[in-house]
Amino acid sequence: MVSVTQQSVEPSGAPEPSEPETGPAPSGRLGFVVFITAAAALGGFLFGYDSSVINGAVSGIQEKFGVGDGVTGLIVSSALLGSAVGAALAGRFADRYGRITVMKAGALLFAVSAIGSMLPFSAWDLAFWRVLGGAAIGIASVIAPTYIAEVAPTQYRGRLASFQQAAIVLGIAISQLVNWLLADAAGGDTRGHLLGLEAWQWMLGICVVPAAVYFALASTIPESPRFLIAADRLDEARAVLADIEGRGSDTEARIAEIRGLIDSDHRPRFRDLLGGRFGLLPIVWVGIGLSVFQQLVGINVIFYYSSILWQSVGIDQSDSLLISFIGSVINILGTVIAILLVDRIGRKPLALIGSAGMALALGACAWAFSSATGSGDDVTLPDLQGTVALIAANAFVLFFALSWGVVVWVMLGEMFPNRIRAAALSVAASAQWIANWAITVSFPALSRWSLSATYLAYAVFAALSIVFVARFMKETKGVRLEDMG
């Protein structure tokens, strides 16, 4: 699963103006900033956890409600529709009510969705609770990186902002581990019973625990000084700035500086993006292309459906969930590699490496799945092809994580001129949600028709992304945001 807001976005819709460097924060103050940043990033953990926990529950849901591939796809993808709504509304609410209030609201939505998903009356009832949880995902995808950007000292902002992406991939990994442990405790069957409920119900309901932790931590961290100044709550802003930057800092100068930046903000409008040959500016189309290709390679199929994917080729439920957990650990490893390399070798080379690796891995998957024998739920792969499928699927996750998983959001945060950055990023992110939904809702039916052909299509998109990057993507490494254009 991919985070949709690794870069910070002003919730008001305005691009974040550049701020002058300040001196290094005292070690005590930096420790405090790290704490509040980590607390805010827990929203990213919930983002990753809730969006991928459905993976382990899919087979149990299908059996419990007797639903086919079409309804299954709608249930799994329904959260994405809620995510689009939550992301669209989070910024407006954050400007009106504050970042902390919106964090708490997101945590409550997570908790309510978890309990509702745990105790559904029907498949459509479950879909409703998933939409509600998706709205919380959308909120977390916007508010956490925004808050982090507003409280982090400038010289540490990049490293602290990476907490969000790290939390997302950690949430994905923990959800897969919990799914496997619950299924194993229930006898290797997601419909096995634990304390009166089926294992898949516990998978969806246990998200209430990190949601409660998120709410508790959000209640202990300070409001963003930028919001406090915008709301004319200057005494509170002085106290927060003193806590973040140290008691010896010139808080009055910082308040004047932030107020000046707020007053000079320009709220981008959609019409600012118009003017190209095909309606939108060329740079906006490039951003949309990067977002769409990121999803068309099928990465979220791995995080949403990998358990039933492996079951469909003869691996039992418990082992399929363990394989899914291993894949999410590889996702963490790839993300760490990307964070280490993106500023060293550049965005474009990393994207090209990832595209080539993904195309080869997906092609290998397509070849392996073409040898599947049997039908329905009784499908097997020969030993060689089964081994190739496992290795290739995890190689695909690794190549995606070390490239497109991080590079796309770095690019979207950097590539647009200041005057259109936030508006263009919003359009590109919306395109990504839509592409994500399309891939997610279509996979069950497509895989039933031909798993090999489905993966071959993803491989073709990965190969086409090489051409797209080589021709249209410009390197942004070392280029100041003010010089983008």
Side-chain angles (χ1 to χ4, degrees), residues 296-303 305-306 309-310 358-359 361-370 389 392-393 396 443 446-447 449-462:
L296 292 183
V297 297
I299 186 62
N300 282 317
V301 165
I302 296 293
F303 295 123
Y305 294 113
S306 62
L309 168 65
W310 299 122
M358 288 190 296
L362 289 166
C365 282
W367 172 80
F369 290 137
S370 69
F396 165 55
F443 177 75
L446 288 175
S447 63
W449 166 66
S450 174
L451 191 57
S452 177
T454 301
Y455 270 80
L456 181 60
Y458 298 153
V460 169
F461 284 123

Side-chain angles (χ1 to χ4, degrees), residues 277-308:
R277 183 188 306 175
F278 301 104
L280 299 174
L281 295 170
I283 191 67
V284 179
W285 282 118
V286 174
I288 291 173
L290 288 171
S291 291
V292 171
F293 270 116
Q294 188 194 54
Q295 298 303 315
L296 292 183
V297 297
I299 186 62
N300 282 317
V301 165
I302 296 293
F303 295 123
Y304 297 162
Y305 294 113
S306 62
S307 66
I308 61 168

Side-chain angles (χ1 to χ4, degrees), residues 265-339:
D265 276 351
H266 163 63
R267 185 188 297 270
R269 297 154 296 185
F270 180 77
R271 67 186 183 194
D272 293 333
L273 308 182
L274 303 177
R277 183 188 306 175
F278 301 104
L280 299 174
L281 295 170
I283 191 67
V284 179
W285 282 118
V286 174
I288 291 173
L290 288 171
S291 291
V292 171
F293 270 116
Q294 188 194 54
Q295 298 303 315
L296 292 183
V297 297
I299 186 62
N300 282 317
V301 165
I302 296 293
F303 295 123
Y304 297 162
Y305 294 113
S306 62
S307 66
I308 61 168
L309 168 65
W310 299 122
Q311 290 171 49
S312 73
V313 292
I315 297 174
D316 65 42
Q317 284 190 1
S318 181
D319 287 344
S320 71
L321 292 172
L322 178 59
I323 293 170
S324 296
F325 170 64
I326 293 171
S328 57
V329 173
I330 292 173
N331 187 32
I332 295 175
L333 174 63
T335 300
V336 172
I337 293 173
I339 292 172

Side-chain angles (χ1 to χ4, degrees), residues 141-473:
S141 73
V142 171
I143 199 63
T146 298
Y147 177 85
I148 291 170
E150 292 179 349
V151 301
T154 303
Q155 67 271 26
Y156 298 112
R157 182 174 298 147
R159 279 166 284 180
L160 293 174
S162 69
F163 280 22
Q164 170 77 350
Q165 179 67 7
I168 291 171
V169 296
L170 182 62
I172 293 172
I174 295 299
S175 73
Q176 302 310 307
L177 176 60
V178 170
N179 284 350
W180 174 63
L181 291 174
L182 288 171
D184 190 62
D189 185 359
T190 56
R191 294 211 62 196
H193 282 76
L194 294 170
L195 301 178
L197 295 175
E198 296 182 6
W200 70 266
Q201 293 177 274
W202 284 110
M203 291 176 185
L204 299 181
I206 207 167
C207 189
V208 73
V209 175
V213 174
Y214 183 39
F215 185 91
L217 288 178
S219 301
T220 66
I221 61 178
E223 181 55 86
S224 156
R226 184 181 176 96
F227 170 77
L228 293 173
I229 293 169
D232 208 28
R233 293 159 56 181
L234 300 185
D235 288 341
E236 295 175 67
R238 291 186 185 95
V240 173
L241 286 170
D243 285 338
I244 293 173
E245 300 184 359
R247 296 292 172 180
S249 62
D250 190 345
T251 56
E252 295 304 323
R254 288 289 289 134
I255 289 173
E257 177 187 8
I258 294 172
R259 184 180 290 282
L261 291 170
I262 293 173
D263 292 341
S264 66
D265 276 351
H266 163 63
R267 185 188 297 270
R269 297 154 296 185
F270 180 77
R271 67 186 183 194
D272 293 333
L273 308 182
L274 303 177
R277 183 188 306 175
F278 301 104
L280 299 174
L281 295 170
I283 191 67
V284 179
W285 282 118
V286 174
I288 291 173
L290 288 171
S291 291
V292 171
F293 270 116
Q294 188 194 54
Q295 298 303 315
L296 292 183
V297 297
I299 186 62
N300 282 317
V301 165
I302 296 293
F303 295 123
Y304 297 162
Y305 294 113
S306 62
S307 66
I308 61 168
L309 168 65
W310 299 122
Q311 290 171 49
S312 73
V313 292
I315 297 174
D316 65 42
Q317 284 190 1
S318 181
D319 287 344
S320 71
L321 292 172
L322 178 59
I323 293 170
S324 296
F325 170 64
I326 293 171
S328 57
V329 173
I330 292 173
N331 187 32
I332 295 175
L333 174 63
T335 300
V336 172
I337 293 173
I339 292 172
L340 294 175
L341 293 181
V342 70
D343 283 326
R344 294 186 180 182
I345 70 173
R347 289 73 163 132
K348 189 168 183 174
L350 205 55
L352 289 171
I353 292 170
S355 293
M358 288 190 296
L360 292 173
L362 289 166
C365 282
W367 172 80
F369 290 137
S370 69
S371 299
T373 58
S375 61
D377 295 326
D378 186 18
V379 179
T380 58
L381 282 177
D383 289 342
L384 173 62
Q385 283 81 355
T387 301
V388 169
L390 283 172
I391 294 173
N394 285 315
F396 165 55
V397 172
L398 178 63
F399 276 108
F400 178 88
L402 65 81
S403 60
W404 284 72
V406 169
V407 166
V408 168
W409 286 105
V410 171
M411 286 296 301
L412 293 181
E414 295 176 340
M415 63 188 288
F416 302 116
N418 278 333
R419 63 184 180 83
I420 66 166
R421 179 169 296 119
L425 199 154
S426 296
V427 170
S430 297
Q432 187 176 117
W433 282 119
I434 294 169
N436 189 346
W437 176 83
I439 291 296
T440 303
V441 76
S442 64
F443 177 75
L446 288 175
S447 63
R448 180 74 65 172
W449 166 66
S450 174
L451 191 57
S452 177
T454 301
Y455 270 80
L456 181 60
Y458 298 153
V460 169
F461 284 123
L464 289 175
S465 71
I466 299 175
V467 179
F468 181 84
V469 169
R471 180 166 183 178
F472 298 109
M473 179 176 163

